[in-house]
DNA sequence: CTGGATCCGGGAAGATACTG
DNA sequence: CAGTATCTTCCCGGATCCAG
């Protein structure tokens, strides 16, 4: 990106991360952990491969990411965030929060990946009190999803792991998930609209926002 | 800007504010209050007038800003943020914070406006304890600056006002100001490098970060 | 298959001049 | 003061091709 040429903290930040796609790449690496080139392409539908390669080169020069070879039999290059890259979590979080009201508009023909909900879910799930038993719920699946762990009054959202035992697995059309977790819709209505819980329904309900917060 | 076409909160946010210059326009309006077209040009050195007009049109469509005519004898159009536009303060703040380490590099031939320091100064000035007397210090001047008000253990930074009585007025080369408020430099050294305080030196020193926080 | 590189068309950004 | 008009430049997007 062309520099703004301004001696200003924010302008200099945008000189590094203001390019198209750059912050979305950070979103992917934050929510998915270290990724391969092809993982990033799957998580960034619409990006051209040359653009992704360009961005990764620039981000490596700016010390936002690092690459390291995995030993055989994997033999792939893993791309991960540096500390400085991970520090962009605050920026990503604020953008995500500011954009939340825009999610009430239907998806039309937008692409969707379940793991994009990882960041919003951290704040939309009901943390509960420290006394309540811990639950683990998978949204989506191993190849595109996230695991929500509610424990000790805290919500933790992590990339899905095959080694993790989950109490329930949830799938749903994205707009149904939005409506349910913003308390615009009841669980029963969500199930009518395609939400399905495999495993402990109680574990999933444990994450829903409390009744008192509905807009109605 | 072309839409990313992703049903994701952050991607939809960037569809609206990810364009070049957009967030810098928000910075201007946040730190300066409602501005005229020519005020924005002065605060955004490097922007082409047609681009500024384009961005303002798009931001008005997105309901981030509003325009209202001032009655004579002013007879100018004032551009101000809507509530939704002001909500971008969190995004602007996080970008500013993340970019702070980049300010240690010298300005070279970067442009500079004193009011760009308004956002960083809110966190760099020592708030002090509620017991200490209130002080008001102007950085820069009425046409490009900001007023820092330390009162009751809180720091408030506002656009400069002719109606405000100030205890001191400070001018300095920007990199000297950065070094001083990040405790990389002593006050005496800063004065050697061009920092000048008009009025109460004690009022200004009251804002400096406490000694215990220096890196040395 | 992964991880790109290359080429090309269209459109956004940038520079400058001009106007009601 | 607050833009518009015009021209140029360059980035982005899409397709294709290629080496390990």
């Amino acid at each position: 990106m062309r520099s703004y040429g301004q001696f200003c903290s924010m302008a200099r930040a945008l000189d590094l991360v203001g390019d198209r796609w750059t912050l979305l790449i950070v979103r992917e690496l934050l929510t998915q952990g270290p990724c391969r080139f092809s993982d990033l392409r799957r998580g960034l539908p619409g990006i051209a491969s040359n653009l992704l390669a360009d961005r990764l080169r620039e981000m490596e020069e700016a010390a936002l990411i690092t690459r390291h070879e995995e030993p055989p039999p994997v033999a792939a290059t893993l791309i991960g965030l540096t500390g400085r890259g991970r520090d962009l979590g605050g920026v990503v979080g604020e953008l995500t929060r500011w954009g939340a009201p825009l999610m009430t508009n239907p998806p039309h023909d937008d692409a969707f990946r379940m793991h994009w909900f990882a960041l919003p879910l951290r704040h939309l799930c009901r943390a509960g009190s420290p006394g309540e038993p811990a639950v683990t719920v998978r949204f989506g699946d191993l190849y595109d999803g996230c695991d929500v762990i509610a424990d000790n009054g805290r919500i933790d959202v992590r990339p899905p792991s095959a080694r993790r035992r989950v109490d329930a697995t949830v799938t749903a059309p994205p707009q149904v998930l939005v409506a349910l977790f913003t308390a615009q819709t009841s669980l029963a209505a969500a199930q009518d609209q395609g939400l399905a819980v495999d495993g402990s329904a109680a574990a999933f309900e444990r994450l829903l926002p409390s009744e008192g917060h509905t807009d109605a």
Side-chain angles (χ1 to χ4, degrees), chain A residues 10 13 24 40 57 59 65 80 114 130 153-154 160 166 171 193 210:
Chain A
M10 180 180 169
L24 291 184
L40 288 174
R57 212 184 338 271
M59 293 170 75
I65 61 172
M114 184 66 88
R154 278 180 43 80
V166 299
T171 56
Q193 291 163 37
S210 53

Side-chain angles (χ1 to χ4, degrees), chain A residues 3-216:
Chain A
S3 168
Y4 285 106
Q6 299 186 355
F7 190 64
C8 160
S9 178
M10 180 180 169
R12 287 194 164 186
L14 289 174
D15 283 347
L16 293 185
V17 302
D19 254 324
R20 195 158 163 78
W21 293 108
T22 301
L23 283 173
L24 291 184
I25 294 171
V26 174
R27 172 198 70 187
E28 287 302 303
L29 295 171
L30 275 175
T31 60
Q32 297 284 79
C35 287
R36 294 184 295 181
F37 189 90
S38 45
D39 296 329
L40 288 174
R41 284 194 77 174
R42 262 189 296 280
L44 296 164
I47 198 173
S49 63
N50 59 341
L51 266 194
L52 178 54
D54 286 350
R55 289 294 170 272
L56 292 178
R57 212 184 338 271
E58 296 161 4
M59 293 170 75
E60 195 173 10
E61 284 171 19
L64 304 182
I65 61 172
T66 54
R67 306 184 204 223
H68 51 99
E69 308 294 328
E70 284 294 286
V74 207
T77 307
L78 275 188
I79 298 157
L81 291 170
T82 62
R84 186 83 180 128
R86 234 171 288 117
D87 287 343
L88 283 165
V91 175
V92 170
E94 285 297 325
L95 277 168
T96 299
R97 187 193 336 217
W98 188 82
L102 306 170
M103 293 294 280
T104 53
N105 299 349
H108 297 300
D109 56 352
D110 287 350
F112 175 68
R113 300 291 183 272
M114 184 66 88
H115 73 261
W116 292 343
F117 274 145
L119 286 150
L121 276 179
R122 191 186 314 272
H123 299 104
L124 291 176
C125 288
R126 195 175 63 83
S129 52
E132 294 179 77
V135 297
T136 301
V137 175
R138 173 159 304 151
F139 290 73
D141 55 45
L142 272 177
Y143 304 101
D144 172 37
C146 53
D147 291 352
V148 174
I149 300 138
D151 186 15
N152 199 32
R154 278 180 43 80
I155 294 289
D156 208 12
V157 184
R158 297 174 176 272
S161 159
R163 311 182 58 83
R164 182 157 22 236
R165 188 194 61 80
V166 299
D167 300 306
T169 300
V170 183
T171 56
Q175 69 275 26
V176 173
L177 227 43
V178 168
L180 181 61
F181 276 89
T182 56
Q184 309 294 309
T185 274
S186 69
L187 175 56
Q191 284 170 324
D192 285 347
Q193 291 163 37
L195 179 134
V197 180
D198 181 33
S200 161
F204 175 64
E205 289 177 48
R206 154 79 179 74
L207 299 180
L208 293 179
S210 53
E211 308 283 333
H213 293 173
T214 50
D215 288 349

